[in-house]
Amino acid sequence: MWYNTKATEMLGIQYPIMQGPFGGNLSSVELVATVSNAGGLGGYGAYTLSPEEIIAVDKQIKAATNKPYNINLWVSDTDAENGTVTDEQYEQAKQLFKPYFDEAGIPLPAKPAPFKPRFENQVEVILDIRPKVFSFMFGVPSAEMLEQCRRLGIKTVGAATTLDEAIFLENAGVDMIIASGFEAGGHRPSFLASAESSTTGTFVLLQLIREKVKTPVIAAGGIANGKGVAAALALGASAAQIGTAFLATDESNALPIHRQMLFSDAAKYTTLSRAFTGRFGRGITSRVAREMLGKEKQFLPFPLQTTFMSPLRKAALEQEKWDMILFWGGQIAPILKHTKAKQLMQSLIEETTAYFDNLKA
Ligand SMILES: Cc1cc2nc3c(=O)[nH]c(=O)nc-3n(C[C@H](O)[C@H](O)[C@H](O)COP(=O)(O)O)c2cc1C
């Protein structure tokens, strides 16, 4: 059957369908459990959580499903030198943001306190809670960490945006590689070259990686229905990872207006921008996203750009100024149909099955 792949065998799941983890508090226990209980692999994006919070979330997931699931972290979680910015950088960003803060009628924030990377402490927790799958982006954990995961039976999954990154991940010995195409919603997880120069589409990237790399590959980016899953499998993927379509379901932790936007006409247009966090990510085009293009020199490095963007987003939400917000989402949003994660899973399975059955008929 189409659903017996290297991924289903390795991860102990029924269908090669993975729900993409969402960082920034957009994942939910309910979504993870719904997807895992339906035979796929639910994923929780935990990069903003403290070790204690990860332990608490993990307990909730374990209570909601006895099936395999994935916990996701960011290996590199800052681009700020020594975690901070100069007074000059801060002043430049203040000038850039002043008109928007004036428009929203809120005060400009103070210079951010230095940011302390979180990955080293978070990753220790992974070894304690032992999810079936530990996926990561923006780099590769140390050889010792990968070895410890291997010993504990935790499958490791790294994200690549280029063939070079896939080869790097294979040489590090990860169990599976995500081919992260530029159609995808959220951040581009590039870690060797700049994200701006790593913009290959999912199906080209998948084929390039399959030519040169033996590690099983998961296709991510622009897949939202059974035909997309079938296409990924036909091109050699062992599984498909689906983000935007699950983000749009009621079970995700996205705000109702965010989910509504993903189903609206606005979702026809998306932008890759550093304006919202300091790292390159795709969301529905908004006025602020358009106006910030070309002003990257005044942005603060990840994640300190959020010093400005978070209060602005909060005020814009309160004032319903949607054009001041970037709602994360991928290029595939206009074909979305399902608002319930269980129905989305069922439909993905039925459509993929029908597609392969038709080929045999
Ligand atoms: C809002 C949002 C947040 C995301 N956060 C993460 C993350 O923290 N870690 C990660 O590995 N992938 C993250 N992703 C990528 C997804 O897990 C998935 O690979 C991607 O969305 C697939 O492409 P699609 O959006 O076209 O379906 C995020 C995607 C979105 C839309």
Side-chain angles (χ1 to χ4, degrees), residues 18-27 43-48 70 72-74 135-138 157-159 178-189 202 218-224 240-247 254 258 262 282-283 327-333 336:
M18 299 168 61
Q19 170 245 317
F22 309 121
N25 199 31
L26 292 167
S27 286
Y44 198 103
Y47 90 93
T48 55
N70 166 29
N72 176 272
L73 295 175
W74 292 20
S135 77
F136 39 84
M137 65 176 195
F138 290 116
V157 178
I178 294 175
S180 178
F182 106 131
E183 302 91 330
H187 288 94
R188 299 287 303 135
T202 303
I218 299 156
I223 300 171
Q241 177 160 286
I242 297 173
T244 299
F246 280 111
L247 184 68
H258 189 167
L262 288 169
R282 187 180 294 285
F327 292 106
W328 299 111
Q331 291 182 328
I332 200 68
L336 300 186

Side-chain angles (χ1 to χ4, degrees), residues 206-221:
L206 169 60
Q207 292 174 82
L208 301 190
I209 296 175
R210 285 288 290 149
E211 282 267 321
K212 302 279 181 204
V213 162
K214 292 195 181 66
T215 309
V217 182
I218 299 156

Side-chain angles (χ1 to χ4, degrees), residues 290-331:
R290 268 196 308 270
E291 289 173 359
M292 289 272 175
L293 272 178
K295 302 197 173 139
E296 287 76 9
K297 284 210 174 88
Q298 284 173 268
F299 295 175
L300 296 187
F302 182 88
L304 301 177
Q305 176 82 347
T306 58
T307 312
F308 288 91
M309 271 302 175
S310 298
L312 192 60
R313 178 186 163 89
K314 187 167 172 281
L317 283 170
E318 280 162 14
Q319 298 168 28
E320 303 195 351
K321 291 187 164 140
W322 313 134
D323 61 353
M324 296 181 89
I325 295 169
L326 183 109
F327 292 106
W328 299 111
Q331 291 182 328

